[in-house]
Amino acid sequence: MTSLAVIFMGQAGCGKSHLCASFGKWLEENKKSFKIINLDPGAEYIPFNPNFDIRKYFTISEIMKKEKLGPNGAMIRANNKINEISDEIIDEIIGPEDFILIDLPGQLETFIFRQSGANFIQKLENKIRVVGIYLIDAEFLSSATDFIIASLIGTACSLQLPIEVVSILHKSDKIINQEIIKIVHNFDFLKEKVIEEKKGAMIDMVLPILDNILEPFARIIKTSSVTNEGMLELYELINEIFCACGDIS
Ligand SMILES: Nc1nc2c(ncn2[C@@H]2O[C@H](COP(=O)(O)OP(=O)(O)OP(=O)(O)O)[C@@H](O)[C@H]2O)c(=O)[nH]1
Ligand SMILES: [Mg+2]
């Protein structure tokens, strides 16, 4: 089997690093080889032992001090630096393992939504097969509107990147309101709820978006790093994406 790179992306604090760790543990228990890569130069703590850590090159606090930048400016600078040394990084991170799990920083607008992120991922894609997993944080879903916004950001990642990006619902152990499950899985109910939540011109704008962009989300899987729910489903989802793209020999 050739290596598959899986890039975990999503908004700040949605659980990317913990999912890298728990999915890695699941792979290990299921006798699959893998590497875990930390590409977040701002991380103070990461819940896994990385095989490659961008912080050996630079950290956000060093860049802030040296270049007199604020945290967001330093993150943009760091991501440009990642792009500048991308060949070196890619040579270090690829290997014979079945999976290369890549943890990104949460500030989507400083990497994924800029050319630096797309360029890096394109270069990686030229060498190995790559898929993006976009995490929707279940802890902060309290309405249909929340789910639509989170899903649209996932769609924006897909639009921006030269790879397939699939959304999953993470921190499933935090879902206490069963209506959220219905919103996520039942497209007609999602529509009903959003009509209740939004009025007037906003509805005319939102309904066509739901029909055209969000309907494919109907099969979204749920994962949790606390209960380990969904690890097999995540593995199968990744394999399915690669199979659909061609081979998984
Ligand atoms: N209940 C619950 N908490 C989780 C889960 N996954 C992560 N968390 C918690 O969510 C918080 C953020 O998790 P991280 O893995 O650091 O999130 P992240 O997306 O990597 O965060 P940034 O890199 O800062 O954007 C931590 O307190 C985790 O313990 C989960 O499945 N369930
Ligand atoms: Mg993280």
mmCIF file of all heavy atoms in Angstrom, residues 11-18 40 106 170-171 173-174 224-226, ligand 1:
data_model
loop_
_atom_site.group_PDB
_atom_site.id
_atom_site.type_symbol
_atom_site.label_atom_id
_atom_site.label_comp_id
_atom_site.label_asym_id
_atom_site.label_seq_id
_atom_site.Cartn_x
_atom_site.Cartn_y
_atom_site.Cartn_z
ATOM 1 N N GLN A 11 -11.715 24.884 12.372
ATOM 2 C CA GLN A 11 -11.561 26.124 13.127
ATOM 3 C C GLN A 11 -10.827 25.887 14.452
ATOM 4 O O GLN A 11 -10.713 24.744 14.907
ATOM 5 C CB GLN A 11 -12.931 26.744 13.342
ATOM 6 C CG GLN A 11 -13.499 27.272 12.044
ATOM 7 C CD GLN A 11 -14.887 27.852 12.232
ATOM 8 O OE1 GLN A 11 -15.866 27.141 12.364
ATOM 9 N NE2 GLN A 11 -14.946 29.159 12.270
ATOM 10 N N ALA A 12 -10.403 26.986 15.062
ATOM 11 C CA ALA A 12 -9.620 26.899 16.296
ATOM 12 C C ALA A 12 -10.335 26.045 17.341
ATOM 13 O O ALA A 12 -11.541 26.204 17.563
ATOM 14 C CB ALA A 12 -9.397 28.309 16.839
ATOM 15 N N GLY A 13 -9.590 25.135 17.914
ATOM 16 C CA GLY A 13 -10.099 24.346 19.036
ATOM 17 C C GLY A 13 -11.120 23.274 18.686
ATOM 18 O O GLY A 13 -11.739 22.686 19.579
ATOM 19 N N CYS A 14 -11.286 22.950 17.399
ATOM 20 C CA CYS A 14 -12.317 21.969 17.030
ATOM 21 C C CYS A 14 -11.884 20.530 17.340
ATOM 22 O O CYS A 14 -12.706 19.615 17.255
ATOM 23 C CB CYS A 14 -12.687 22.104 15.547
ATOM 24 S SG CYS A 14 -11.317 21.749 14.459
ATOM 25 N N GLY A 15 -10.608 20.346 17.693
ATOM 26 C CA GLY A 15 -10.172 19.002 18.103
ATOM 27 C C GLY A 15 -9.237 18.302 17.126
ATOM 28 O O GLY A 15 -9.033 17.092 17.218
ATOM 29 N N LYS A 16 -8.609 19.071 16.210
ATOM 30 C CA LYS A 16 -7.723 18.479 15.195
ATOM 31 C C LYS A 16 -6.590 17.666 15.837
ATOM 32 O O LYS A 16 -6.345 16.527 15.461
ATOM 33 C CB LYS A 16 -7.084 19.590 14.323
ATOM 34 C CG LYS A 16 -8.073 20.430 13.563
ATOM 35 C CD LYS A 16 -7.400 21.608 12.874
ATOM 36 C CE LYS A 16 -6.924 22.706 13.794
ATOM 37 N NZ LYS A 16 -7.953 23.399 14.566
ATOM 38 N N SER A 17 -5.900 18.281 16.798
ATOM 39 C CA SER A 17 -4.716 17.626 17.376
ATOM 40 C C SER A 17 -5.117 16.362 18.128
ATOM 41 O O SER A 17 -4.457 15.319 18.017
ATOM 42 C CB SER A 17 -3.979 18.582 18.321
ATOM 43 O OG SER A 17 -3.639 19.765 17.629
ATOM 44 N N HIS A 18 -6.210 16.431 18.888
ATOM 45 C CA HIS A 18 -6.648 15.239 19.622
ATOM 46 C C HIS A 18 -7.119 14.148 18.674
ATOM 47 O O HIS A 18 -6.896 12.966 18.932
ATOM 48 C CB HIS A 18 -7.745 15.596 20.639
ATOM 49 C CG HIS A 18 -7.180 16.186 21.897
ATOM 50 N ND1 HIS A 18 -6.764 17.496 21.975
ATOM 51 C CD2 HIS A 18 -6.918 15.631 23.105
ATOM 52 C CE1 HIS A 18 -6.284 17.722 23.188
ATOM 53 N NE2 HIS A 18 -6.361 16.617 23.891
ATOM 54 N N ASP A 40 1.769 22.921 13.121
ATOM 55 C CA ASP A 40 1.277 24.115 13.829
ATOM 56 C C ASP A 40 2.425 24.749 14.619
ATOM 57 O O ASP A 40 2.774 24.267 15.704
ATOM 58 C CB ASP A 40 0.131 23.719 14.767
ATOM 59 C CG ASP A 40 -0.466 24.917 15.495
ATOM 60 O OD1 ASP A 40 0.076 26.036 15.329
ATOM 61 O OD2 ASP A 40 -1.461 24.741 16.220
ATOM 62 N N GLY A 106 -5.276 26.153 13.708
ATOM 63 C CA GLY A 106 -6.709 26.429 13.568
ATOM 64 C C GLY A 106 -7.041 27.672 12.756
ATOM 65 O O GLY A 106 -8.165 27.804 12.284
ATOM 66 N N HIS A 170 -17.053 16.295 14.811
ATOM 67 C CA HIS A 170 -16.160 15.825 15.880
ATOM 68 C C HIS A 170 -16.665 16.284 17.248
ATOM 69 O O HIS A 170 -17.435 17.220 17.351
ATOM 70 C CB HIS A 170 -14.727 16.333 15.603
ATOM 71 C CG HIS A 170 -13.727 15.774 16.565
ATOM 72 N ND1 HIS A 170 -13.525 14.417 16.730
ATOM 73 C CD2 HIS A 170 -12.901 16.379 17.460
ATOM 74 C CE1 HIS A 170 -12.605 14.228 17.652
ATOM 75 N NE2 HIS A 170 -12.212 15.400 18.120
ATOM 76 N N LYS A 171 -16.162 15.617 18.309
ATOM 77 C CA LYS A 171 -16.605 15.805 19.708
ATOM 78 C C LYS A 171 -18.052 15.343 19.838
ATOM 79 O O LYS A 171 -18.887 16.020 20.444
ATOM 80 C CB LYS A 171 -16.464 17.256 20.182
ATOM 81 C CG LYS A 171 -15.059 17.834 20.098
ATOM 82 C CD LYS A 171 -14.947 19.150 20.844
ATOM 83 C CE LYS A 171 -13.649 19.865 20.515
ATOM 84 N NZ LYS A 171 -13.557 21.225 21.039
ATOM 85 N N ASP A 173 -19.257 13.170 21.588
ATOM 86 C CA ASP A 173 -19.660 12.947 22.989
ATOM 87 C C ASP A 173 -20.270 14.194 23.618
ATOM 88 O O ASP A 173 -20.910 14.127 24.659
ATOM 89 C CB ASP A 173 -18.437 12.496 23.811
ATOM 90 C CG ASP A 173 -17.312 13.525 23.783
ATOM 91 O OD1 ASP A 173 -16.678 13.704 22.715
ATOM 92 O OD2 ASP A 173 -17.063 14.181 24.783
ATOM 93 N N LYS A 174 -20.091 15.343 22.975
ATOM 94 C CA LYS A 174 -20.608 16.597 23.533
ATOM 95 C C LYS A 174 -22.020 16.918 23.048
ATOM 96 O O LYS A 174 -22.589 17.938 23.414
ATOM 97 C CB LYS A 174 -19.692 17.764 23.129
ATOM 98 C CG LYS A 174 -18.393 17.798 23.900
ATOM 99 C CD LYS A 174 -18.641 18.392 25.251
ATOM 100 C CE LYS A 174 -17.358 18.514 26.053
ATOM 101 N NZ LYS A 174 -17.582 19.001 27.394
ATOM 102 N N SER A 224 -15.235 10.971 18.082
ATOM 103 C CA SER A 224 -14.916 11.538 19.396
ATOM 104 C C SER A 224 -13.568 11.004 19.848
ATOM 105 O O SER A 224 -13.304 9.796 19.759
ATOM 106 C CB SER A 224 -15.974 11.142 20.423
ATOM 107 O OG SER A 224 -15.487 11.431 21.718
ATOM 108 N N SER A 225 -12.738 11.888 20.344
ATOM 109 C CA SER A 225 -11.452 11.464 20.889
ATOM 110 C C SER A 225 -11.603 11.035 22.343
ATOM 111 O O SER A 225 -10.669 10.521 22.938
ATOM 112 C CB SER A 225 -10.430 12.603 20.798
ATOM 113 O OG SER A 225 -10.220 12.938 19.461
ATOM 114 N N VAL A 226 -12.793 11.275 22.920
ATOM 115 C CA VAL A 226 -13.035 10.880 24.309
ATOM 116 C C VAL A 226 -13.585 9.450 24.355
ATOM 117 O O VAL A 226 -13.082 8.600 25.085
ATOM 118 C CB VAL A 226 -13.998 11.879 25.003
ATOM 119 C CG1 VAL A 226 -14.460 11.369 26.352
ATOM 120 C CG2 VAL A 226 -13.320 13.241 25.149
HETATM 121 N N1 LIG B 1 -15.309 16.280 24.692
HETATM 122 C C1 LIG B 1 -14.367 16.265 23.756
HETATM 123 N N2 LIG B 1 -13.367 17.158 23.807
HETATM 124 C C2 LIG B 1 -12.425 17.110 22.825
HETATM 125 C C3 LIG B 1 -12.464 16.165 21.771
HETATM 126 N N3 LIG B 1 -11.408 16.397 20.951
HETATM 127 C C4 LIG B 1 -10.746 17.442 21.491
HETATM 128 N N4 LIG B 1 -11.350 17.877 22.622
HETATM 129 C C5 LIG B 1 -10.962 18.994 23.485
HETATM 130 O O1 LIG B 1 -11.072 20.197 22.737
HETATM 131 C C6 LIG B 1 -10.009 21.093 23.076
HETATM 132 C C7 LIG B 1 -9.248 21.491 21.838
HETATM 133 O O2 LIG B 1 -8.684 20.313 21.290
HETATM 134 P P1 LIG B 1 -7.446 20.363 20.279
HETATM 135 O O3 LIG B 1 -7.208 18.973 19.803
HETATM 136 O O4 LIG B 1 -6.310 21.082 20.901
HETATM 137 O O5 LIG B 1 -8.088 21.273 19.151
HETATM 138 P P2 LIG B 1 -7.347 21.882 17.877
HETATM 139 O O6 LIG B 1 -8.352 21.938 16.794
HETATM 140 O O7 LIG B 1 -6.107 21.124 17.612
HETATM 141 O O8 LIG B 1 -7.005 23.345 18.401
HETATM 142 P P3 LIG B 1 -6.061 24.449 17.673
HETATM 143 O O9 LIG B 1 -4.864 23.714 17.139
HETATM 144 O O10 LIG B 1 -5.720 25.376 18.803
HETATM 145 O O11 LIG B 1 -6.884 25.078 16.620
HETATM 146 C C8 LIG B 1 -9.154 20.364 24.124
HETATM 147 O O12 LIG B 1 -9.584 20.781 25.405
HETATM 148 C C9 LIG B 1 -9.500 18.899 23.913
HETATM 149 O O13 LIG B 1 -9.367 18.122 25.086
HETATM 150 C C10 LIG B 1 -13.548 15.224 21.751
HETATM 151 O O14 LIG B 1 -13.704 14.369 20.874
HETATM 152 N N5 LIG B 1 -14.465 15.333 22.767
#
